[in-house]
Amino acid sequence: MAKYSINHTIACYEADANNIMRPTAMLDMMQEAANTNAASLGFGYDEMRAANTGWVISRIHLRFKRYPQWREEVNLQTWHKGVAKLFYLRDFILRDMNGETLAEATSSWLIIDMNTRRLVRNSDLASSPEKCTKEDAIAEPAEKVVLPVDVEPELIRKHPVTWSEIDANGHVNNVKYVVWAMDAVKLEDIKEKALKELLVNYDAEVMPGDVVKISRVRIENEEGIVYYITGRVEDKQNFCVKLVF
């Protein structure tokens, strides 16, 4: 199973008020497909835990071409692209039943020691070339998101981490950061405009008991309406999200 493929019907809880798939539903599907594919290749959750290690996602670049409707059947494919420096690369394509591309994504992952929470720089489990598929959904690896210069982010809220946001790795699940970012967008922007592009940098873990200061920068340029959403715990930036509408 070098490349993993699964059909899925968009459920009511995955759709927004306009009856189209939420961007975060795509991220949920990506997360589960990545885990299933990794397990089939011998470096899934159980294999990593046996080695006292775990996967953490570091960066995502996701582009939407068309959003599927509630109850529409779609197909998601994912594959492991191999190693680039510290990162393990994985791509995704979402298509409709006619083969039209709906969304495409690339992601960069790291491996951590579950006791020390530090990076594991080499893993025999995930580095074998025969387990890689050299094909691109997005050719360039997900980039570093940098706040615009000379703009002071606006503090939107302080969010105490809840138990429902913690995953099996003991930290806030990666999809929750995007939920927080989408909730920081002005209603008039998100109500009528669909998200075209999403970039996420996961800079540091957010843990149970943390209070996250969520701030935003909103600009309009040739890309469209662009938001930069950051989350900080005390004086450390834990994530930065770029949203393009």
Side-chain angles (χ1 to χ4, degrees):
M1 293 181 66
K3 183 180 283 189
Y4 176 71
S5 176
I6 187 171
N7 289 352
H8 177 76
T9 300
I10 304 303
C12 61
Y13 52 82
E14 295 174 310
D16 66 12
N18 295 316
N19 277 343
I20 62 173
M21 181 189 73
R22 300 177 188 273
T24 50
M26 174 69 178
L27 295 173
D28 281 328
M29 285 191 285
M30 287 166 54
Q31 182 174 226
E32 183 62 19
N35 182 61
T36 301
N37 184 224
S40 74
L41 294 172
F43 48 83
Y45 177 85
D46 293 333
E47 292 82 5
M48 300 299 281
R49 279 303 176 94
N52 198 41
T53 58
W55 289 109
V56 293
I57 195 162
S58 178
R59 296 179 184 178
I60 294 174
H61 183 192
L62 173 58
R63 296 193 296 233
F64 293 98
K65 297 180 179 294
R66 177 179 77 80
Y67 282 89
Q69 301 286 319
W70 169 41
R71 296 181 289 199
E72 182 175 350
E73 187 176 9
V74 295
N75 174 265
L76 179 65
Q77 286 190 329
T78 185
W79 58 96
H80 172 56
K81 294 206 300 187
V83 184
K85 297 181 180 178
L86 291 176
F87 295 116
Y88 296 82
L89 305 181
R90 172 172 290 280
D91 279 15
F92 305 82
I93 293 181
L94 186 72
R95 295 185 175 96
D96 66 15
M97 290 296 99
N98 295 318
E100 176 193 356
T101 297
L102 304 177
E104 53 199 10
T106 190
S107 56
S108 303
W109 300 69
L110 298 167
I111 298 174
I112 62 169
D113 183 294
M114 295 304 295
N115 288 333
T116 66
R117 316 302 282 191
R118 294 184 177 180
L119 290 182
V120 176
R121 293 184 177 271
N122 296 292
S123 170
D124 294 335
L125 287 173
S127 301
S128 302
E130 66 271 14
K131 297 180 181 181
C132 304
T133 299
K134 295 300 183 180
E135 183 179 327
D136 295 320
I138 297 177
E140 293 298 320
E143 64 189 42
K144 183 174 178 60
V145 180
V146 180
L147 286 174
V149 297
D150 301 325
V151 179
E152 184 66 28
E154 173 191 5
L155 179 63
I156 300 302
R157 62 191 175 103
K158 296 181 180 180
H159 178 82
V161 171
T162 63
W163 175 250
S164 65
E165 294 166 330
I166 305 301
D167 65 17
N169 284 330
H171 58 207
V172 171
N173 181 263
N174 70 86
V175 181
K176 300 302 182 183
Y177 296 77
V178 182
V179 173
W180 298 344
M182 295 292 289
D183 285 344
V185 173
K186 291 183 177 181
L187 183 59
E188 58 266 30
D189 288 334
I190 203 170
K191 189 175 181 180
E192 302 295 337
K193 296 181 181 295
L195 181 68
K196 296 186 295 186
E197 193 168 10
L198 162 71
L199 292 101
V200 190
N201 288 179
Y202 300 94
D203 301 319
E205 295 178 287
V206 178
M207 307 299 287
D210 284 343
V211 176
V212 185
K213 292 180 285 188
I214 298 171
S215 302
R216 75 182 178 202
V217 172
R218 181 191 183 277
I219 60 175
E220 294 188 42
N221 58 25
E222 65 280 359
E223 292 184 278
I225 298 173
V226 182
Y227 280 85
Y228 293 86
I229 313 293
T230 63
R232 304 182 71 89
V233 176
E234 296 179 350
D235 294 326
K236 178 174 64 178
Q237 179 172 293
N238 294 69
F239 68 90
C240 188
V241 178
K242 180 181 178 181
L243 306 172
V244 182
F245 290 88

